[in-house]
Amino acid sequence: MDTIFHTEPFWPMVVVRLALAIVFFAHSMQQLRGGAGKTIGAWQERYAIPKPIGALGIFTEFFGSFAMVLGLLARPFALGLAIFMFVAMWKAHWRHGFFLAHRGGEGNGIEFCLVLFLMALAVLIGGAGALSLDLKLGE
């Protein structure tokens, strides 16, 4: 349990956690508002992602955003978010190159997904940091 909760009171991790929380909460709400079943179905049709895996992805995004705000179980959720972003890069964005901005209808490259992947990886390695429940539980 120590490896899950142990973290140092490092303030920059708060910034990384909160940035991840904002982006993943907004993205998960967009998918839930459009209909999780519809989103998961589209992932299955376009990218051959099985429906249970798609549901796990939305679950990880939604609850991971709250985990990042609270700094609770930040490492396990960071792992889930990193995997989610790796799959997004691999299945949806890689064929469009690196850069995010393209002409309309061309799709987006891996640029933004890569940043989110690396931020999640930073939380996975460094822990939740200061102002986190993990810090309190790890004492």
Side-chain angles (χ1 to χ4, degrees):
M1 290 302 257
D2 190 48
T3 52
I4 292 175
F5 293 115
H6 178 75
T7 188
E8 298 296 325
F10 192 54
W11 285 95
M13 295 311 294
V14 176
V15 175
V16 174
R17 277 189 7 246
L18 293 179
L20 284 170
I22 292 166
V23 170
F24 279 107
F25 179 76
H27 193 257
S28 67
M29 290 309 296
Q30 180 184 37
Q31 293 177 80
L32 292 171
R33 212 176 22 247
K38 183 179 177 183
T39 300
I40 294 168
W43 290 349
Q44 186 178 29
E45 288 175 26
R46 283 190 219 146
Y47 310 117
I49 295 173
K51 286 185 179 184
I53 301 297
L56 180 62
I58 291 176
F59 170 88
T60 303
E61 273 192 306
F62 182 72
F63 289 104
S65 65
F66 292 103
M68 292 300 133
V69 167
L70 298 172
L72 177 64
L73 297 172
R75 278 193 169 102
F77 274 103
L79 175 61
L81 293 173
I83 291 169
F84 185 85
M85 293 318 303
F86 180 82
V87 171
M89 285 188 293
W90 171 42
K91 292 282 195 175
H93 300 281
W94 193 263
R95 67 177 175 263
H96 300 292
F98 181 80
F99 295 105
L100 180 64
H102 287 281
R103 289 189 306 257
E106 287 186 4
N108 299 315
I110 65 166
E111 184 177 19
F112 185 60
C113 293
L114 180 62
V115 170
L116 294 173
F117 170 78
L118 293 172
M119 289 170 66
L121 195 59
V123 174
L124 178 63
I125 294 167
L131 290 179
S132 68
L133 291 175
D134 284 355
L135 182 62
K136 289 291 180 195
L137 293 170
E139 290 177 343

